[in-house]
Amino acid sequence: MSKKVTGNAFDAKIFNRLLGFSRKYRLEFFIGTFSAILLSLVSVAKPILLQEIVNIYFKNKDKEGILNFSLLMVVFLIAEVLLQFIFIYKVNWLGQHIIKDIRVQLNKHMLQFKMSYFDNSSVGKLVTRLVSDTETIAQFFGQGLFMIISDLLKMLVVAIVMLWMNWRMALIAFIVLPVLIYATKVFQMAIKSAFQEVRIQVANLNGFVQERVTGMKIVQLFNHEKVEYEKFVKINDLHKKANIRTVWYYSIFFPIAEILASISVGLLVWYGGLDIVNNGTTEIGQIIAFIMMAQMLFRPLNQIADKFNTLQLGMVAGDRVFEVLDTKDQIAQTGDLEAESFNGDIEFKNVHFSYIKGEEVLKGISFKVNAGETIAIVGATGAGKSTIINLVNRFYEIDEGEICIDGTNILRYTLPSLRNQIAVVLQDVFLFSDSIYNNIALSDESITLEQVIDAAKEIGIHEFIMSLPNNYHYNVKERGGMLSTGQRQLIAFLRAYVSKPSILILDEATSSIDSYSEKLIQEATDKITRHQTSIIIAHRLTTIKKADRIIVMDKGRIVEQGSHLELLEKNGNYKMLYDMQFAGEAV
C-alpha cells in the first residue's frame, strides 16, 4: 500500500472523490448545510441580546424589559439546541450511509480479485481497509467536513457582527488572527504526516495480530512465543510512537491557540475599559458582547484545526481505500455464454502458466478429459497438479494456450456460470464459524435442509453428522476448529455434492485423514464420480487405482499417461512413486 506523504495539507482530488459519494443523499446534505447556516445566525444572537440587556435594561433597572429579553434569549437557546440536534443527526446519518455504500463497493470489488492479489496481500491490512479505514471516512463527514462548514460560517457571521457593532474593537480582536491562522496551517501540515504514519502502523499491527492468532498453533508447537512476543513489542512500540507524535503536535498547538485567544480578550478589556474611563462611546455591555464573540471567533478556529485533522485523517483513509478500489486485478469478465450445464469434456491445449513472471509452473501441457471420465493427476510436490484446478476455475489467467470445456474456450463463459458448474474439494478445507447446514448450503436458499440430509444419506455421511451435538445445526466454530481434519473434509465433500456440479475436482481430498474418514470419502467418491467428469489430484495412490486414466506430472510437464496397471508396466515415474508408497505390498 502507498506510504507517500504529500506536502499539501489538503488533497483536493481525494476530497472531491469522497464528496462524490454524497450525491446519492442530496437532501440530507442540503439539510446539514442549511442547519449549519441557521446555527451560525442563531448563535450570534446571544451576545447581541446580552449587550442590550446590560446597556439598556440593567442601566435603567427595567425589570419587565430584563424578563422579556431573558425569555427571548431562552427562545434562541431552544432554537439553537434544536438546530444542533438536526445538524449532528443528519451529518452523522449521512456519514454512516456513505461508508455503508463504500464498504459494499469495496467488498464487491475485492470479491472479483484474482487469487494472486490475495496471495500477495496481508489479510490484516485488507480488513483494516474494509473496516477501520471506512469508519474513519464516516468521521470525515460527521466530525470533519460539516463541522468545518459550521465553524467557518460562525466565524464569518461573528466577524461581520463585530465589525458592524464597533469596527475598532473588532480590529483589536483580529490582531492575533494572522498568527493563529499561520500556526493552524503549520499544525495541519505536520499532523497529516503523523496521521498517515498512524494508519500505516495500525494496518501493520492488525496484520501481525491476525496472522499470529490464526497461526497460534504453529507458534506454540515450535516454542516461538518469546520470539513472537518480542516482535509484537516492537510493532506495538512503533504504533505508540506514531500516536505520540500526533499527541506532541496537539500539545504544542492548543496551548498556543489558548494563549492567543486570551491575549485577544485582554486587549479587548484594555481598550474598552480605557475608552469607558475616557468617556468614549464604548459601553460595558458592548465589552461583554465582544468578549463572548471573541471566544466564539477563536474557539471555532481551534476546532477547525482539530476537525481539519479529522478531515485529513478521513482523506488519508480514503486514499488507502481508493488504492484498493483502483486496483485492476480482477479476472477479465469477457464471457457472454451462460453455462447452464456441461457435458464434461475438458481439454488443455499447450497451456503455459506462471505465478511469478518468468518462472513457469506449467510448461505447455496438453491433455483431454472425456465426458464422464475420472482422471487422476499425480506427481511430486510442486509438479503443478493443484495449479490445474486454479486454471479450470479461472482463479488465475494462463500465459499461453487454451482451456476448453465442451469444445468452448472457458474465456467465453461468464465467470459465475462457469464456477457454478465446477465443484472443488480442497485439501485444506475452510469452514465458516456457522452451522454444518449453512457451511454446506453457503446461504443458498434454494438448498433446503431436507436436500442436504438426503444428499448426506446418499453418500453415506448422514450418521456421522447425526452423531454431533445439534447434528446439522452444530456450530463448527472458526475455520471448523471443532471438527477433525477428516470430518472437515467430509463436510466439504457434501458441500460439493449438494451443488450438483457438472465437473467434480478433488484436490488431495483424502490426505492427512484417519482411515474411517478415508473409507467414507472413498465410498462417496465412487458414488458421485460415477458417470460424471471428475479430476482427482492425490498423493495417496490407493485412492486413484479405479481412475479411467492417470496423468503423471513432473516439473510442470506431463511425463506419463495411462491406467494404473499400464503405468506400472512402463516402469517409469508412476512406478517409482508407487514403489515409494507401497514397497513390499503386492500389486
Side-chain angles (χ1 to χ4, degrees), residues 114-115 331-335 389-397 410-415 418-419:
K114 300 176 184 176
M115 286 298 107
I331 296 291
Q333 302 277 1
T334 56
I389 295 173
N390 294 328
L391 299 184
V392 172
N393 281 283
R394 288 194 68 199
F395 286 143
Y396 299 86
E397 299 283 28
I410 60 173
L411 296 176
R412 293 194 57 196
Y413 295 113
T414 61
L415 200 56
L418 171 70
R419 291 178 177 169

Side-chain angles (χ1 to χ4, degrees), residues 430-432 434-444 447-449 451-453 455-456 459 461 464-465 471-472 488 490-499:
F430 185 94
L431 297 179
F432 297 96
D434 208 332
S435 68
I436 287 178
Y437 166 64
N438 287 334
N439 268 287
I440 293 168
L442 294 177
S443 301
D444 186 344
I447 300 176
T448 65
L449 178 59
Q451 288 175 310
V452 172
I453 293 173
I459 63 175
I461 65 173
F464 144 65
I465 297 175
N471 46 78
Y472 287 88
R488 289 198 296 271
L490 287 169
I491 298 303
F493 210 86
L494 181 56
R495 178 163 61 192
Y497 180 58
V498 166
S499 67

Side-chain angles (χ1 to χ4, degrees), residues 62 133 450 551:
D62 185 346
D133 284 336
E450 289 71 23
I551 296 174

